[in-house]
Amino acid sequence: MLSELVGALVGLGAVGLVYVSAAARVVKQYERGVVFRFGRLLGSPRPPGFTVIVPFVDRLQKVNMQIVTLPIPGQEGITRDNVTVRVDAVVYFKVIDPANALIQVEDYRFAVSQMAQTSLRSIIGKSDLDDLLSNREKLNQGLELMIDSPAVGWGVQIDRVEIKDVSLPDTMKRSMARQAEADRERRARVINADAELQASKKLAEAAGVMSEQPAALQLRLLQTVVAVAAEKNSTLVLPFPVELLRFLERSTQQGETESAPRRSARAASEALEQPAEDKSAWAEAAPEPAEETATAPVHGLAQVPVGEGASTPSGQAPPELWAEPAPEDVPENVPPPSRQTAPASVTHDD
C-alpha cells in the first residue's frame, strides 16, 4: 500500500514537472510576449521575466522591440532631369505595438522593406541629380515620411532613413569630371587675373616712386643680383633695365650741354688775348661782308659765319663775329662742320 502511494506521488510529481516545463516561459528584456488562447489575443503583451501559460491551450509569441537595421536593395530610376541612377538606402525602425505588428500585417519586416523600395523609387523620380548628390538630408526626411505613414498602423515606427549610395553611369561620371575640372580652371584663371591686377597696381606705384629717384633702379638691380646669387648658381644672368640706360643717356646729354658754354667762353678768352697787330691785320684783310653769308650750325655750340676772309691769320675768329648760341630746334644728329681758315698773310695791290 505504501509503495503504491509513493508511486502515485512520484507520478504526480512527474506530471506536474512536465506541466510546469510546458507552461513556463521566459521573456527577455528586449522582447514582449503576445499570448493567443485558441487563436484569440489574450490580454496585453507579457512583460519581460518569467511567465506561465496554459499548455496546449495558449501560444506565446515573442516580438523583438529593438531597432532593426534593414538595408534597401539598390533601385534604378530616372531622375527629373532624365539621368539614370541607382540608389541604395538603409531603414532604421522598431516595433512600438507588438500586438498590431503580429495582427495587422503578416510579416512587418517584409512589409517595411517593400514600402521602402517603392518610396525610394518615387523619390528618385521626383528629384534632380544635384539633389541626390548634395541635398540628401531633405530627401531622407521626405523618404522617412513616405514610409512612416502606412507603418504606423502596423505598430512599427520608422526611426531613420538614409540614402547610402548613388551610382552613376560611367559617361555621366566623365561628364561631371570635365565640368568640375573646367569650373576649377575658370576659378584659377580668375584668381590669377585678379592677382595680376593687384600686382600691376603695386608695380605702378613702385615705378612712380622709383621715377622720382633714378638711383633706386640701381639699388633694385643690386637687390636682384643678391637674390639670384643666393642660389649659388654657376651662371648668373643679370637683367639690365632699360630705364637705367635712359637715365645714363640723360646724364650724358646734360654733361654735353653744360660743357658747350665753357668751350665758347674759352675760345672767346683766347681771341681777346691775341696781339694788337693780329687784330689790325684782321681789320685790313677782312672785306666787306657779303649780302648773304652762309652759316653752318655747330652741334652744341654757337653759329659762326663762314665765307671769304672769315678767319684770322692765326685761324681764330674775332670775338665780335661770334653769334648767339644755336637754337634748340637744331637737330642733334648733325655733325659739327669744320671751320674754314684764311691764308696766313693778305696783300693789297696799290
Side-chain angles (χ1 to χ4, degrees), residues 108-126:
Y108 63 89
R109 289 176 177 264
F110 181 74
V112 171
S113 176
Q114 294 299 316
M115 180 58 66
Q117 295 179 27
T118 305
S119 302
L120 182 58
R121 285 193 295 267
S122 178
I123 286 293
I124 292 173
K126 295 179 180 179

Side-chain angles (χ1 to χ4, degrees), residues 62-125:
K62 300 176 183 179
V63 180
N64 194 339
M65 305 295 292
Q66 291 177 322
I67 295 177
V68 181
T69 302
L70 182 65
I72 303 175
Q75 302 297 312
E76 292 185 358
I78 300 177
T79 60
R80 190 167 58 182
D81 51 353
N82 299 325
V83 178
T84 302
V85 295
R86 182 182 178 87
V87 183
D88 299 337
V90 59
V91 179
Y92 302 90
F93 69 93
K94 64 179 179 179
V95 178
I96 57 176
D97 191 349
N100 289 335
L102 296 176
I103 296 173
Q104 299 298 332
V105 64
E106 180 182 3
D107 188 352
Y108 63 89
R109 289 176 177 264
F110 181 74
V112 171
S113 176
Q114 294 299 316
M115 180 58 66
Q117 295 179 27
T118 305
S119 302
L120 182 58
R121 285 193 295 267
S122 178
I123 286 293
I124 292 173

Side-chain angles (χ1 to χ4, degrees), residues 118-347:
T118 305
S119 302
L120 182 58
R121 285 193 295 267
S122 178
I123 286 293
I124 292 173
K126 295 179 180 179
S127 304
D128 296 331
L129 179 61
D130 294 338
D131 294 335
L132 289 175
L133 297 176
S134 60
N135 197 11
R136 294 187 180 183
E137 189 66 26
K138 183 178 179 180
L139 297 179
N140 293 337
Q141 295 178 359
L143 189 59
E144 179 181 349
L145 291 176
M146 293 180 66
I147 302 175
D148 189 60
S149 298
V152 172
W154 303 340
V156 178
Q157 179 182 1
I158 305 299
D159 188 70
R160 191 177 183 85
V161 181
E162 291 287 345
I163 295 177
K164 185 168 57 175
D165 186 24
V166 178
S167 301
L168 299 174
D170 294 338
T171 56
M172 181 58 64
K173 290 181 180 179
R174 289 192 293 267
S175 300
M176 295 178 66
R178 288 195 300 269
Q179 179 184 0
E181 183 179 359
D183 184 67
R184 289 183 178 274
E185 185 177 358
R186 178 185 62 84
R187 287 186 292 175
R189 290 183 178 180
V190 170
I191 294 174
N192 190 17
D194 190 14
E196 291 291 340
L197 177 60
Q198 296 179 4
S200 63
K201 292 181 180 179
K202 296 298 181 181
L203 290 175
E205 295 178 1
V209 175
M210 289 184 178
S211 62
E212 298 177 357
Q213 297 292 335
L217 292 175
Q218 183 66 20
L219 296 177
R220 187 68 183 94
L221 178 60
L222 296 177
Q223 291 178 358
T224 304
V225 172
V226 172
V228 175
E231 300 295 333
K232 298 181 180 180
N233 297 324
S234 58
T235 303
L236 178 61
V237 179
L238 182 61
F240 201 77
V242 180
E243 288 77 3
L244 185 59
L245 295 176
R246 294 176 181 173
F247 168 69
L248 297 176
E249 182 180 359
R250 288 196 300 267
S251 301
T252 304
Q253 293 177 357
Q254 291 177 0
E256 292 179 355
T257 304
E258 293 175 356
S259 62
R262 295 178 181 176
R263 289 198 298 268
S264 301
R266 184 173 62 255
S269 60
E270 292 177 355
L272 291 175
E273 293 176 357
Q274 293 179 358
E277 55 185 13
D278 292 342
K279 294 182 180 179
S280 61
W282 167 261
E284 295 176 356
E288 294 183 1
E291 295 180 357
E292 293 182 0
T293 304
T295 59
V298 180
H299 181 68
L301 301 176
Q303 294 183 358
V304 179
V306 179
E308 184 178 357
S311 59
T312 62
S314 62
Q316 298 291 338
E320 57 269 10
L321 295 181
W322 285 88
E324 295 295 328
E328 296 180 356
D329 56 350
V330 176
E332 297 180 358
N333 56 357
V334 177
S338 61
R339 292 196 181 96
Q340 298 179 359
T341 58
S345 63
V346 178
T347 59

